[in-house]
Amino acid sequence: VLSFSSLKEFAKSPAHFLEYKKGRKTESSAMRFGTAVHMAVLEPKKFTEVYDVTDLRKNTKAYKLMIEENPNQTYMNNSDWRGINNIKDEVLKHDLANELIYGADRYEEEVKGDIKGVPFRGFVDAIGSNYLVDLKTTQNSSPNEFQRSAYNFQYYLQAAIYCELTGLSDFWIVAAESSAPHNVVPYLLDRKYVERGREELYMLIEKYKKWSSDENNLKKIGYDYELDDQSFFTLKPPKWAV
């Protein structure tokens, strides 16, 4: 079963894809922060059950004892705790972001289905009657900067996958800055942008099907999977240098 994350890894190389499937990726502090923000905004009751704040340092005996006695609890420092709750407050204060997220019908919804004959699955942050919402934490949510981030992280591809799986066409991103002042900006992805993501999605699916269906291709897990009959790449000057 493919997902947005695994397909992005396959776009790099089959080796990246296989490494992702083995689950060897380490979770960064930014990823852990983003996970906590998602739960605080989308599942506030669950957040209070799972997370708590502490002044204790991780290398102290008191902290280690606390973890032993509360194995199901996740503790964070005061700075992260304030930041996460401030982000939640900013989402609540922003009229459109509030309406999009808290006007939705379902949260953290698993969506499944076949796209071009390949099974896919994903989790949508929020689903309304006729729209999808993805909450993103980012360093800078301003239009110029977030436009770059959205392109680099291929959010348009994610939008295409989720729109395909749900049959909905409006994909919103609520971008919240991880640092103060925690500006919150809702973005509606342009339909043509989503269509571009759909074209890229179909292209990657065909590459994946070609690679995974041929035993000889399965031996090629590096960048050489792009080669057909050749055994090497010819290095040429980049287009911008010509």
Side-chain angles (χ1 to χ4, degrees), residues 84-97:
I84 289 165
N85 282 283
N86 286 340
I87 290 171
K88 180 185 175 183
D89 290 342
E90 291 303 316
V91 171
L92 285 167
K93 288 191 292 185
H94 193 289
D95 290 342
L96 181 54

Side-chain angles (χ1 to χ4, degrees), residues 65-133:
L65 179 61
M66 182 176 66
I67 294 297
E68 287 179 10
E69 294 176 347
N70 303 279
N72 297 321
Q73 198 80 25
T74 301
Y75 293 94
M76 62 180 65
N77 59 42
N78 280 287
S79 177
D80 286 346
W81 181 266
R82 283 195 304 271
I84 289 165
N85 282 283
N86 286 340
I87 290 171
K88 180 185 175 183
D89 290 342
E90 291 303 316
V91 171
L92 285 167
K93 288 191 292 185
H94 193 289
D95 290 342
L96 181 54
N98 186 314
E99 180 183 347
L100 287 169
I101 292 176
Y102 299 110
D105 305 311
R106 292 164 285 167
Y107 301 95
E108 298 292 352
E109 180 82 1
E110 183 179 19
V111 290
K112 298 179 181 179
D114 281 10
I115 304 176
K116 294 292 183 179
V118 176
F120 272 82
R121 71 192 289 260
F123 288 88
V124 183
D125 289 344
I127 303 179
S129 57
N130 59 352
Y131 65 89
L132 306 168
V133 181

